[in-house]
Amino acid sequence: MTRLPWRFTVPAFGGVAVAAGLLAAFTGSAPAAVKHSVGVRSAASGKVSVIVVTAGKPSELAFKLSKSSMVPAGMVTFKVTNMGVAFHNFKLCTIPVPTAAGAQNSCIGKSTRTLKHGQSTTLTVKLSLDGKYEFLCSVPGHAAAGMKGLLGIGVPVPISEEQAAAKAGSGSGSGSAGGGTTTTTKTGSGGGGSGDTSGCAPGVTIKTSGAADADGDELGTEPDDNDGCV
């Protein structure tokens, strides 16, 4: 019996495709050449957001943040510098507020140490939930005077809400700029007199210390507002 010779020829490119398909069928994975890139989102989710915070600017009882809206949820590091003449710190409240009017003069959260003029520090907080988080200076009287605001995690914070948060609760507390009379002289050892947080030496007020805090109290046009000496 005569056997007819035969030959099965696969085009070069077709052979590669067939081989790749067979490899995928047996191994259950796509060929490296056709795999899609993955892991971009997970890499972004692990990124730490860095926000530069300046205390005492643009006015003594105010903060300036490099970013305060639509910050990604996750780890946030605040690089805080006190450029005011008074003592300040930075506290981030860890429970979101429903509205700007819900901003208070104190809260549960994490804060930096108290900084003198020119000093810097960092604060890292994990914020997993989207929302509006209050930040403030917890030196007594400062938040009540308007040294507070809102940070939007995953949500926008309009300028109008930032302004509303700074004014919220301004009728309570002590030391508001241009507000009621407060005591600025220290009494007792170490200046631990009741209600006094000026940082002045005993018998010294903001005005007599010569410190200019841009509030008018050192000029005699406003009451001493208890916001620090240098």
Side-chain angles (χ1 to χ4, degrees):
M1 182 177 184
T2 303
R3 306 178 73 177
L4 297 175
W6 63 276
R7 184 168 54 190
F8 179 69
T9 304
V10 179
F13 291 109
V16 173
V18 171
L22 292 174
L23 177 62
F26 284 106
T27 64
S29 62
V34 296
K35 273 191 175 182
H36 296 291
S37 123
V38 295
V40 175
R41 177 173 294 181
S42 61
S45 63
K47 183 180 179 180
V48 177
S49 298
V50 178
I51 298 176
V52 177
V53 180
T54 304
K57 296 290 181 182
S59 60
E60 185 64 36
L61 296 177
F63 287 111
K64 181 179 180 181
L65 275 63
S66 60
K67 185 177 179 64
S68 60
S69 188
M70 294 300 296
V71 178
M75 302 299 292
V76 183
T77 293
F78 301 92
K79 293 185 176 182
V80 186
T81 300
N82 180 14
M83 296 305 295
V85 299
F87 298 162
H88 297 300
N89 68 3
F90 179 83
K91 183 173 185 178
L92 195 284
C93 307
T94 50
I95 299 176
V97 296
T99 65
Q104 302 294 318
N105 297 326
S106 62
C107 68
I108 296 174
K110 296 181 67 176
S111 67
T112 68
R113 60 187 175 88
T114 300
L115 303 174
K116 297 179 181 180
H117 171 76
Q119 291 183 328
S120 299
T121 190
T122 61
L123 175 69
T124 299
V125 183
K126 184 176 182 180
L127 300 170
S128 302
L129 300 177
D130 289 352
K132 297 172 184 177
Y133 293 79
E134 183 182 0
F135 58 84
L136 53 87
C137 175
S138 63
V139 172
H142 290 197
M147 200 169 185
K148 56 183 181 287
L150 292 179
L151 175 73
I153 298 296
V155 298
V157 178
I159 295 178
S160 59
E161 291 193 8
E162 293 181 5
Q163 295 172 343
K167 295 178 181 177
S170 59
S172 61
S174 62
S176 61
T181 302
T182 54
T183 304
T184 59
T185 53
K186 296 224 175 192
T187 59
S189 175
S194 175
D196 173 54
T197 56
S198 65
C200 298
V204 177
T205 65
I206 299 289
K207 184 167 61 176
T208 60
S209 74
D213 60 4
D215 290 340
D217 51 355
E218 71 278 357
L219 301 176
T221 59
E222 296 178 8
D224 286 330
D225 57 12
N226 208 25
D227 60 357
C229 285
V230 289

